[in-house]
Structure formats: C-alpha cells, structure tokens
Amino acid sequence: MLFLVLHPAITSASPQRIATPNPHGDLSIPCENCHSAAGWSPIRALPEFDHDKTQYPLRGGHKSVTCTQCHASPNFKDVRKNCADCHADIHLRKFGADCAQCHIVQGWFTTRQQVRNHQNLFPLIGAHAAVECEACHKAFVGGQYRVLPYCSACHASDFKKATDPNHVALNFSETCQTCHSQDSWLGAKFPHGQSTGFALTGAHATLDCKNCHAAGNYKGATSNCFACHAKDFQKASAPRHTAAGYSTACATCHGTATWIGAISPQGRAPLLTPKSAGGR
C-alpha cells in the first residue's frame, strides 16, 4: 500500500495576508456603508453612518454640509471641534473665538435670544425688536458690530424730515427718547415744562399741540392765558368778567383743571357754574 507523505512546509503553509491600513483611522464600520463597488469615489449619496453616535452630533445647519467640508483629511478623527477651526471670524475676534456665545446651529442669522435682545448693551424693545441686526449695523463693513450710543446714528434722516413740528428749525434734541417711545414715532410726549418753562397741567395736558400752536406756529408762542382764552373771558356771564373789569390773567382766579370753582383774589366771587363758564 502506497502512502503519500507531504512535506511539512507544504502542509503548514497558508496564504500570507498583509493588512491594509484604514485611511479613516480606527473607523470600524464596513466600507460598503459609504462606498460602492464601482470605486472609492464618489461615496454613496446617503452613507450609512450615524453621526449622532459620535462625540459631535450634527444639528441644524451642520446636517446639510458634506463630509469633506469638515473632514479635510481622510482620517475622520483628525478634525477639531472649535467654531473658528471651520468658520472664519468676520468680527475679527471682537467678540471672542466662541461663535456659539451668539449664534446657534440653525444658521448665522438666528442668534441667541439674549444677544438679539441686547440685554447687555441696548435692550431691543418696541419697534426695535422687529428689525434684523443688519438694519442698524449695515454701515459697518465686514460684520463688525459696535455700540451705537445715540439715536441719530440710525435716525438722522427721520429727524431731518420731521415737519410737524420741524425738528431742525426748532432746534430739538437729537435724543429721540426725550419725546418718543420705542414703539412708534406717533404719540410723542414733548417735555413742555422743561423745554419752554410752561408746564402743561390739568386740562392743558390733554390738548393736542395744534390747539395752542395753530398753523404749526411752535416758535414764539405766548404763555399769556388771554391769548388763547379771550373768547372764554368774554362769554363768562356770572359774573360778567368784562363788566366787572376782571383781570385777563386767568390764573389769578382759575386753576388749569377747569373753569368751575374759581376763587376771586378777595374770596367774594361766586363759584362759576358749567353754564356761566361756557361748559368747560
């Protein structure tokens, strides 16, 4: 009986395999999760890779970028996590290197609420809360934002074109909040007492400016009572002011709240009635 004896070297020999290093580092997913049999590049349109299982889950705008926009090197571990590593700082480090202190991943123009409200510098309330950053900061090239300490930095044209009253001609203050609120230009409250020396109290405080300043005559208006109230003086009947020779300085007997309840300097004049006072 013939036996065939194989050489030990033949029986123990096995194909020699040399491991090919993974260009992506220690990534442990199968190649076919991203690549096709046609070639390494381009990768599949929808790679089977769950970035949420990494130390950097993709959120907001980061979801729409391609892998190579963040991973310039094939070794996916060789990527940094700081904002400035990928994003050029158009603010020239004036606000530090951490973009996330102002911005969120949904986009550059969706900022954190505390920044949008300017709580640390200029609280955005009223109409200011409805405008975008660029509406006020458009003059600063390169996205450099800085404090705008005065109203006229944005509202110089509004100030100049105001005609009723004419702000320029009357030398009004360019500090808009002296008269205006941040909700609207309408309903301005002029500091009459501080600016003219004639405080608006009582019934005077409820009047429209045009009641006293006819035809837009804001400059040189008199504070003499009779200038506005001559008709009231002349029609007063109990007592008859003209016949009794009463002073035309209304404040001698009257307050600013109403004609009713007037007291003469001697304390002898009867109280006026609504009828005799003309209804005021």
Side-chain angles (χ1 to χ4, degrees):
M1 190 173 189
L2 182 64
F3 292 95
L4 181 61
V5 179
L6 298 178
H7 193 279
I10 297 176
T11 58
S12 62
S14 60
Q16 185 176 8
R17 300 180 64 183
I18 301 175
T20 302
N22 188 336
H24 302 310
D26 58 358
L27 192 66
S28 59
I29 65 172
C31 299
E32 58 267 26
N33 281 20
C34 299
H35 300 280
S36 68
W40 295 117
S41 180
I43 63 172
R44 291 167 51 184
L46 296 174
E48 295 178 35
F49 179 75
D50 189 357
H51 217 287
D52 287 350
K53 293 181 179 179
T54 70
Q55 296 180 358
Y56 195 87
L58 298 182
R59 299 287 185 268
H62 290 147
K63 285 185 176 181
S64 61
V65 300
T66 62
C67 304
T68 54
Q69 283 181 276
C70 295
H71 299 281
S73 166
N75 186 339
F76 291 161
K77 289 287 186 179
D78 187 20
V79 63
R80 298 179 182 180
K81 300 176 183 177
N82 296 323
C83 305
D85 295 327
C86 289
H87 301 290
D89 186 358
I90 64 172
H91 305 303
L92 305 179
R93 294 296 178 96
K94 289 184 179 293
F95 300 117
D98 183 14
C99 304
Q101 70 178 337
C102 299
H103 301 280
I104 58 178
V105 292
Q106 272 67 29
W108 293 118
F109 299 105
T110 305
T111 59
R112 291 186 181 278
Q113 191 62 36
Q114 63 266 33
V115 175
R116 184 166 291 281
N117 286 343
H118 283 60
Q119 293 300 342
N120 56 335
L121 295 174
F122 184 82
L124 297 182
I125 60 176
H128 289 143
V131 299
E132 292 296 328
C133 304
E134 290 71 27
C136 297
H137 297 284
K138 59 188 175 183
F140 302 104
V141 181
Q144 297 182 48
Y145 291 80
R146 62 184 178 87
V147 180
L148 304 177
Y150 42 88
C151 304
S152 59
C154 287
H155 296 297
S157 61
D158 299 300
F159 180 87
K160 291 175 182 177
K161 69 183 181 183
T163 58
D164 189 19
N166 188 313
H167 290 26
V168 176
L170 294 172
N171 196 30
F172 277 12
S173 168
E174 294 185 3
T175 305
C176 303
Q177 65 262 33
T178 302
C179 303
H180 299 277
S181 72
Q182 296 194 50
D183 294 319
S184 169
W185 293 125
L186 302 177
K189 301 295 183 182
F190 180 68
H192 210 279
Q194 177 183 343
S195 300
T196 69
F198 185 81
L200 299 182
T201 60
H204 290 149
T206 64
L207 298 176
D208 185 87
C209 302
K210 294 179 180 178
N211 286 101
C212 299
H213 300 282
N217 178 26
Y218 293 96
K219 211 166 189 178
T222 179
S223 60
N224 184 288
C225 306
F226 195 71
C228 286
H229 296 295
K231 291 182 179 180
D232 299 301
F233 181 89
Q234 291 165 1
K235 69 183 179 182
S237 59
R240 293 186 63 82
H241 288 28
T242 52
Y246 275 26
S247 168
T248 56
C250 305
T252 304
C253 303
H254 298 279
T256 58
T258 176
W259 294 123
I260 300 171
I263 302 296
S264 72
Q266 296 79 23
R268 290 184 281 107
L271 297 178
L272 295 178
T273 64
K275 182 178 180 180
S276 65
R280 176 177 149 190

